[in-house]
């Protein structure tokens, strides 16, 4: 969390998304455009790869790959250079939920218990997400692998670590 003075939810949320869009979207657009052109020359069956690339621009490639039940490590993914964008989809979907957690926990408004509320909320959701991942890994591996709810815990652990270390003045 930066030292920006935030006065309302709209200012907070628009600033949050503007920073992420500036960081992610330009490189993604260049990557998808260049690789899409190149793949058309080298892969005669490029339609699945091109759809994956197109869905990645909207943060949905993980959902597309889940829909077609792709095994990330299968031979069929070797000719799809956009398979790796599933993680960007998870990250972008995480960013729909995370700013709400920051703001409504009080952390974004810098309330007295905001830090604690966010830490407790993230810890609870991380536990639920990890349990869901473990369950679905045995039942439906593509769901466990590609869905944001089952991957939430991995990103949230980094957020929890930040919150814990933020309280350590010596760090």
């Amino acid at each position: 969390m930066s030292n920006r003075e935030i006065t309302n939810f709209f200012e907070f949320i628009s600033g949050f998304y503007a920073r992420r869009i500036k960081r992610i979207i330009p490189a993604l657009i260049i990557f998808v455009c260049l690789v899409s052109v190149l793949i058309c020359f080298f892969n005669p069956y490029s339609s699945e790869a091109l759809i994956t690339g197109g869905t990645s621009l909207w943060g949905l490639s993980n959902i597309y790959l889940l829909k077609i039940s792709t095994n990330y490590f299968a031979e069929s993914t070797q000719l799809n250079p956009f398979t790796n964008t599933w993680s960007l989809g998870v990250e972008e979907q995480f960013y729909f939920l995370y700013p709400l957690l920051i703001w409504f926990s009080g952390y974004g408004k810098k309330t007295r218990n905001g830090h604690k509320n966010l830490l407790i909320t993230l810890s609870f959701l991380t536990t639920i997400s990890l349990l869901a991942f473990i369950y679905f890994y045995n039942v439906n591996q593509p769901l466990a692998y590609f869905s944001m709810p089952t991957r939430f815990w991995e990103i949230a652990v980094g957020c929890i670590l930040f919150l814990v270390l933020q309280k350590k003045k010596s760090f």
Side-chain angles (χ1 to χ4, degrees):
M1 187 77 196
S2 70
N3 293 327
R4 293 178 189 75
E5 191 61 38
I6 299 166
T7 58
N8 62 53
F9 181 70
F10 178 76
E11 184 181 325
F12 170 75
I13 201 87
S14 61
F16 183 90
Y17 288 127
R19 288 187 301 278
R20 268 110 200 121
I21 288 169
K22 286 178 191 174
R23 180 174 58 88
I24 296 170
I25 300 302
L28 181 61
I29 289 172
I30 291 169
F31 170 71
V32 170
C33 290
L34 288 176
V35 173
S36 292
V37 169
L38 291 173
I39 196 168
C40 289
F41 290 115
F42 298 106
N43 184 353
Y45 308 104
S46 60
S47 62
E48 189 172 293
L50 294 173
I51 292 170
T52 308
T55 58
S56 74
L57 294 173
W58 302 99
L60 300 172
S61 60
N62 64 318
I63 294 171
Y64 173 70
L65 292 166
L66 173 60
K67 180 182 166 228
I68 62 172
S69 294
T70 298
N71 177 343
Y72 186 79
F73 300 104
E75 271 187 51
S76 62
T77 62
Q78 290 179 357
L79 295 177
N80 187 344
F82 301 115
T83 303
N84 63 333
T85 63
W86 72 268
S87 63
L88 278 177
V90 168
E91 181 182 348
E92 291 172 24
Q93 292 156 26
F94 177 83
Y95 288 150
F96 281 106
L97 177 61
Y98 192 58
L100 299 174
L101 296 176
I102 291 173
W103 186 260
F104 292 113
S105 68
Y107 185 81
K109 296 180 273 188
K110 299 184 181 184
T111 62
R112 189 169 61 90
N113 289 327
H115 187 275
K116 179 182 172 185
N117 293 343
L118 183 57
L119 188 59
I120 290 169
T121 303
L122 283 174
S123 298
F124 174 75
L125 293 174
T126 297
T127 303
I128 299 297
S129 174
L130 178 58
L131 292 173
F133 176 82
I134 292 168
Y135 172 77
F136 284 110
Y137 186 81
N138 294 314
V139 176
N140 184 344
Q141 283 188 349
L143 179 68
Y145 193 83
F146 290 118
S147 76
M148 190 280 290
T150 57
R151 292 299 196 148
F152 177 92
W153 68 275
E154 294 171 315
I155 302 171
V157 165
C159 300
I160 291 169
L161 182 61
F162 169 79
L163 291 169
V164 168
L165 293 176
Q166 188 182 38
K167 283 296 184 181
K168 303 254 185 229
K169 300 294 184 207
S170 62
F171 185 76

